[in-house]
Amino acid sequence: MTPEVNPHPGRQGCALGRPRPMFHRVLTAEPGHVRETLAAVRARFQAEVGTDAIGRLELVLAEVMNNVTEHGAGDRPRAAPVIHLCIVSHDCGLACALTDDGRRLPVDCLLPRGLPQLTGEDLPEGGFGWYLIQDLTQELCYYREDRRNFLAFRIPLMRDAG
Amino acid sequence: MHFDVEEGDQHLKIVVPERRIDAAIATQFKDKLRPLVMKSKKPVHLDMRLVDFMDSSGLGAMIAVRKSLPEGMPLVLLSVTPNVERVFRLTRMDSVFDLRCAPAAEGGAA
């Protein structure tokens, strides 16, 4: 799906420039569907944004969609949520929006967080997902409307050193 | 999922046969690999060259595998690809695992 160039941008608008890839998919929140979707995202954007940015995009999308898969159904295990994913490539990066009809996202997922404690021999085996999402995204925002979660963020094309 | 195990003089070498260690296979990965390493009397070398994606579920499985080794027995991850190395680095798990990164990828795409 490649957007058409608008030859007559409005006075308020800006020229759209060359066509950029977009991606849209609706999927049920199941591991196999998440995998297929990630492969399709990679195929769509790899040539446009390069290896490093596509790696960060894939990791963040995997973490978000895995969370919906694992927790979204809540106590209705047969009712896998339906995820809508939309990605647009532009100069500042990859703008992503995901919605799902699963359970409400717990507030603390979005609070600034550090890594789980790495002290001692008893290493944590989880608790990294939202850290990675927060670390690799910009302008991360969330809201709940009716029965849907809305999550939006941007993956910058260049990663600051450090 | 079948792990190729090679018992050397100095170490136990295991090749990870998957391209992705992700939420879809993390539990299976952990359950199949742990019995292979938990009684090892030699350092374990895990060849990661085929793996080009790992998410936090996969990282959790790797941590579980590491914890299942006999106390003090080293686990070395060989030929770790850049996309996988990133997850270890961002989570500071590169300080816990002994990572040997793969040589620069073909073509050296930026």
Side-chain angles (χ1 to χ4, degrees):
Chain A
M1 182 182 347
T2 304
E4 292 176 10
V5 176
N6 178 359
H8 305 294
R11 270 178 294 175
Q12 301 288 321
C14 55
L16 291 174
R18 67 189 173 83
R20 299 286 183 87
M22 295 173 67
F23 184 89
H24 177 251
R25 182 165 293 195
V26 180
L27 65 146
T28 49
E30 294 167 13
H33 292 162
V34 171
R35 257 192 182 194
E36 280 171 34
T37 301
L38 292 172
V41 168
R42 176 171 279 274
R44 179 68 49 87
F45 292 102
Q46 177 126 38
E48 172 84 7
V49 302
T51 306
D52 184 66
I54 200 77
R56 287 180 278 116
L57 172 69
E58 185 174 10
L59 181 56
V60 170
L61 292 177
E63 298 298 339
V64 172
M65 292 194 286
N66 288 346
N67 281 328
V68 178
T69 303
E70 288 170 31
H71 307 295
D75 45 14
R76 296 179 300 134
R78 285 196 298 170
V82 175
I83 299 172
H84 292 235
L85 166 64
C86 188
I87 308 167
V88 182
S89 171
H90 58 85
D91 285 344
C92 302
L94 294 149
C96 304
L98 294 105
T99 82
D100 69 82
D101 58 356
R103 274 200 309 179
R104 178 186 294 273
L105 188 70
V107 178
D108 63 348
C109 293
L110 294 152
L111 297 176
R113 58 174 54 211
L115 284 165
Q117 286 293 318
L118 301 185
T119 52
E121 273 305 289
D122 194 23
L123 292 169
E125 292 174 29
F128 300 106
W130 276 101
Y131 174 82
L132 289 169
I133 294 166
Q134 291 186 7
D135 192 53
L136 292 173
T137 60
Q138 295 180 348
E139 293 136 31
L140 178 66
C141 67
Y142 168 80
Y143 64 94
R144 175 98 177 168
E145 189 176 88
D146 296 330
R147 297 179 144 209
R148 295 196 75 83
N149 296 305
F150 292 77
L151 191 72
F153 50 84
R154 183 163 60 84
I155 304 288
L157 294 182
M158 306 292 271
R159 173 100 171 137
D160 295 335
Chain B
M1 188 187 312
H2 172 75
F3 290 97
D4 221 355
V5 183
E6 185 185 312
E7 178 111 36
D9 292 339
Q10 307 291 321
H11 55 257
L12 192 69
K13 184 178 174 188
I14 303 177
V15 179
V16 177
E18 297 289 326
R19 292 191 58 214
R20 305 174 70 85
I21 311 178
D22 61 9
I25 64 149
T27 304
Q28 190 191 5
F29 178 87
K30 178 170 67 175
D31 291 349
K32 294 215 166 174
L33 195 49
R34 272 201 298 202
L36 300 176
V37 304
M38 61 194 298
K39 289 184 180 151
S40 181
K41 296 186 168 55
K42 299 168 187 169
V44 175
H45 286 192
L46 209 51
D47 188 328
M48 303 277 289
R49 73 186 65 231
L50 296 178
V51 187
D52 59 19
F53 179 78
M54 181 178 78
D55 61 19
S56 68
S57 308
L59 177 68
M62 294 294 298
I63 294 167
V65 168
R66 184 188 176 278
K67 284 160 72 172
S68 70
L69 262 74
E71 196 170 339
M73 191 60 74
L75 172 65
V76 182
L77 305 184
L78 300 174
S79 302
V80 179
T81 60
N83 216 28
V84 173
E85 185 271 339
R86 175 194 292 115
V87 180
F88 283 103
R89 176 165 39 83
L90 293 177
T91 57
R92 312 273 192 270
M93 279 289 157
D94 55 348
S95 64
V96 171
F97 285 84
D98 186 349
L99 297 183
R100 313 284 168 86
C101 291
E106 71 289 345

